[in-house]
Amino acid sequence: ALYERFNIAEDLPIVVFIGRLVREKGAELLPEAISRFIYDDHKMGFIILGTGDPNLHQIFDNMRKHFPGRFDAALEYNEGLAHQLYAGADFLMMPSLVEPCGLNQMYAMRYGTVPIVRAVGGLRDTVPDIGRENGAGICFDYYSVNEIHHALIRAERLAGNPKELLELQRKNTKVDFSWEQSAEAYEEIYEELMG
């Protein structure tokens, strides 16, 4: 459905960004990071869904024309389309400058989409890097185009190993972010403190 809706070549894994096009969400880094990745001839497709900074709207419109089959965007708020993207994409990009909690990465994991996140705030708490035990996504530390570029290279490698990617996707659909799980963790802490 995504390949029909967006101008992305069907042989490319898809990386999506869903959210407000503002600095806090890292949207200002995306044009350069995506352009550099495409110019370096890496094999990924990119889709942006969101609204915000009018300058970014213009840049993303130009990128659609400049990178047909590699980049597309829906510069709108569309909850239904957001869930289609969570469900159909291979990776979700969240290069946030700040992220107190973050819900998108949790939605993505439930759908089996692998998050690519900056390890900040709630993203750090909910997405352990795949290089660690119980890894769930690809993490990077610094708010920069270079860090995003290296994270995308890791994602491309993962996409090149369909068996490993599928195992991670299946594992991520079972991650429990429910209040029941959180309540049990708090109960354990309180019991430990009370001796």
Side-chain angles (χ1 to χ4, degrees), residues 20-192:
R20 292 180 297 121
L21 303 178
V22 295
R23 183 170 189 262
E24 293 79 13
K25 298 296 182 185
E28 68 180 3
L29 300 178
L30 293 175
E32 185 179 346
I34 292 169
S35 297
R36 177 179 165 193
F37 200 75
I38 292 172
Y39 279 129
D40 286 352
D41 203 30
H42 291 284
K43 304 300 183 206
M44 305 272 266
F46 296 88
I47 299 172
I48 303 287
L49 172 64
T51 62
D53 182 341
N55 291 329
L56 285 174
H57 281 239
Q58 185 63 50
I59 291 167
F60 289 138
D61 264 338
N62 291 337
M63 287 175 66
R64 282 166 37 184
K65 297 168 194 152
H66 196 70
F67 300 121
R70 304 289 300 278
F71 177 86
D72 207 346
L75 302 173
E76 61 185 88
Y77 175 84
N78 185 326
E79 186 76 20
L81 182 55
H83 283 275
Q84 262 192 315
L85 289 167
Y86 290 128
D90 299 286
F91 299 94
L92 172 77
M93 171 66 73
M94 293 183 72
S96 302
L97 178 62
V98 294
E99 195 68 62
C101 176
L103 295 174
N104 288 10
Q105 78 280 11
M106 294 185 221
Y107 298 148
M109 289 162 69
R110 189 68 173 166
Y111 278 112
T113 298
V114 177
I116 303 170
V117 302
R118 179 165 173 259
V120 61
L123 299 176
R124 179 182 51 241
D125 296 338
T126 56
V127 184
D129 188 80
I130 57 173
R132 296 175 32 207
E133 187 178 340
N134 296 320
I138 295 168
C139 303
F140 58 96
D141 292 320
Y142 302 107
Y143 185 76
S144 76
V145 169
N146 281 342
E147 288 277 293
I148 294 172
H149 187 76
H150 292 299
L152 288 171
I153 289 171
R154 292 180 69 202
E156 184 180 35
R157 281 191 203 122
L158 180 59
N161 186 337
K163 183 179 177 193
E164 185 180 346
L165 178 59
L166 184 59
E167 285 175 13
L168 179 60
Q169 291 170 324
R170 284 184 174 154
K171 184 181 82 164
N172 282 358
T173 62
K174 297 177 179 126
V175 174
D176 184 2
F177 291 113
S178 69
W179 280 113
E180 289 80 10
Q181 187 267 345
S182 297
E184 285 178 18
Y186 275 110
E187 188 176 345
E188 287 176 19
I189 292 170
Y190 294 142
E191 287 174 3
E192 184 180 314

